[in-house]
């Protein structure tokens, strides 16, 4: 990455750590970085050097942690349009990278739901380091916990699991959708047929965004 953008990332991290960050300036800063360098820029801002190893006892059907590309996250923000009043839930949140990005660029509150303890610890450390108070954490299995996340308004799934596990989580989201309107953002994840979800616009490559209709 060009030294200019390294300096930009360091300045942004210092601004966030001082509590002086605002979503408009963060968005302008990352859009000012060439696309090819945006993931490295974000990782430097967040202080993410290495990804911890996945738990060898990861349950069947769960996908090992893989960070979502910044370009995809920017499209999520553009198309789902999270507001400061929203609660963005990352199901299979890993290190909290995606949710931290969404908070920093929109001001929305974020919840990380992650089954791997070492990734939850790393995400908590990230939030503490950057003084992100609107970032919370739940450690456990989404199939058992998602129905309890009734504060969520936008649910993000970057291919966290498949098969029966995915079907259980979708059923849990349907229960929430019977209480309130929600949006579901899926990356590289075809959902089972759901008559209670409608696509918000055409599917954009690997990203599909749905709104509940119940």
């Amino acid at each position: 990455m060009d030294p200019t953008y390294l300096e930009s990332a360091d300045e942004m991290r210092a601004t966030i750590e001082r509590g002086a960050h605002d979503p408009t300036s963060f968005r302008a800063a990352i859009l000012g970085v060439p696309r090819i360098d945006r993931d490295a820029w974000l990782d430097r801002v967040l202080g993410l050097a290495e990804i911890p190893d996945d738990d060898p006892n990861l349950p069947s059907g769960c996908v090992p942690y893989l960070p979502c590309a910044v370009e995809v996250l920017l499209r999520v923000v553009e198309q789902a349009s999270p507001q400061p009043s929203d609660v963005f839930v990352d199901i299979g949140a890993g290190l909290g990278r995606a949710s931290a990005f969404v908070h920093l660029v929109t001001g929305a509150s974020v919840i990380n739901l992650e089954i791997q303890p070492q990734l939850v610890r790393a995400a908590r450390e990230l939030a503490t380091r950057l003084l992100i108070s609107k970032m919370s954490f739940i450690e456990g299995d989404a199939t058992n916990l998602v129905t309890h996340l009734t504060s969520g308004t936008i649910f993000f799934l970057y291919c966290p699991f498949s098969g029966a596990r995915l079907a259980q989580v979708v059923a849990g989201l349907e229960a929430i959708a019977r209480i309130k309107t929600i949006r579901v953002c899926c990356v590289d994840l075809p959902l089972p047929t759901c008559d209670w979800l409608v696509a918000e616009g055409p599917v954009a490559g690997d990203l599909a965004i749905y709104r509940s209709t119940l």
Side-chain angles (χ1 to χ4, degrees):
M1 186 163 51
D2 186 287
T4 300
Y5 303 117
L6 291 175
E7 182 178 348
S8 165
D10 292 341
E11 289 175 354
M12 179 54 67
R13 182 171 61 208
T15 298
I16 295 168
E17 289 173 344
R18 290 198 306 272
H21 143 270
D22 69 88
T24 300
S25 63
F26 185 88
R27 186 184 186 111
I30 198 164
L31 291 178
V33 176
R35 290 187 178 189
I36 195 172
D37 291 325
R38 286 175 183 169
D39 282 286
W41 186 90
L42 177 63
D43 287 343
R44 189 172 180 95
V45 169
L46 300 181
L48 299 177
E50 296 182 0
I51 299 175
D53 291 335
D54 285 296
D55 190 327
N57 298 315
L58 194 63
S60 175
C62 290
V63 176
Y65 172 64
L66 181 67
C68 186
V70 164
E71 290 308 297
V72 176
L73 294 174
L74 284 168
R75 285 192 281 131
V76 170
V77 167
E78 178 181 349
Q79 294 180 38
S81 190
Q83 302 298 309
S85 58
D86 277 307
V87 177
F88 181 92
V89 180
D90 188 354
I91 298 177
L95 296 175
R97 182 179 185 268
S99 58
F101 174 86
V102 169
H103 167 70
L104 291 170
V105 84
T106 70
S109 298
V110 294
I111 297 174
N112 296 271
L113 176 54
E114 172 58 49
I115 197 170
Q116 300 193 61
Q118 76 279 14
L119 298 183
V120 177
R121 287 193 296 272
R124 289 182 187 276
E125 290 168 3
L126 182 156
T128 299
R129 187 170 65 249
L130 297 181
L131 303 178
I132 302 177
S133 61
K134 295 177 70 175
M135 189 172 182
S136 57
F137 310 87
I138 299 174
E139 179 185 327
D141 191 333
T143 59
N144 301 323
L145 296 173
V146 71
T147 54
H148 301 289
L149 299 178
T150 54
S151 63
T153 57
I154 301 174
F155 293 83
F156 178 68
L157 297 93
Y158 175 36
C159 198
F161 28 62
S162 59
R165 188 172 291 274
L166 175 60
Q168 286 181 267
V169 169
V170 170
L173 293 175
E174 182 180 1
I176 297 174
R178 293 189 179 279
I179 302 170
K180 63 199 293 187
T181 299
I182 62 173
R183 280 162 289 169
V184 181
C185 305
C186 301
V187 179
D188 287 331
L189 185 67
L191 288 184
T193 301
C194 301
D195 58 8
W196 56 276
L197 285 177
V198 294
E200 290 205 324
V203 175
D206 50 0
L207 172 63
I209 298 179
Y210 304 91
R211 176 177 50 83
S212 66
T213 59
L214 295 177

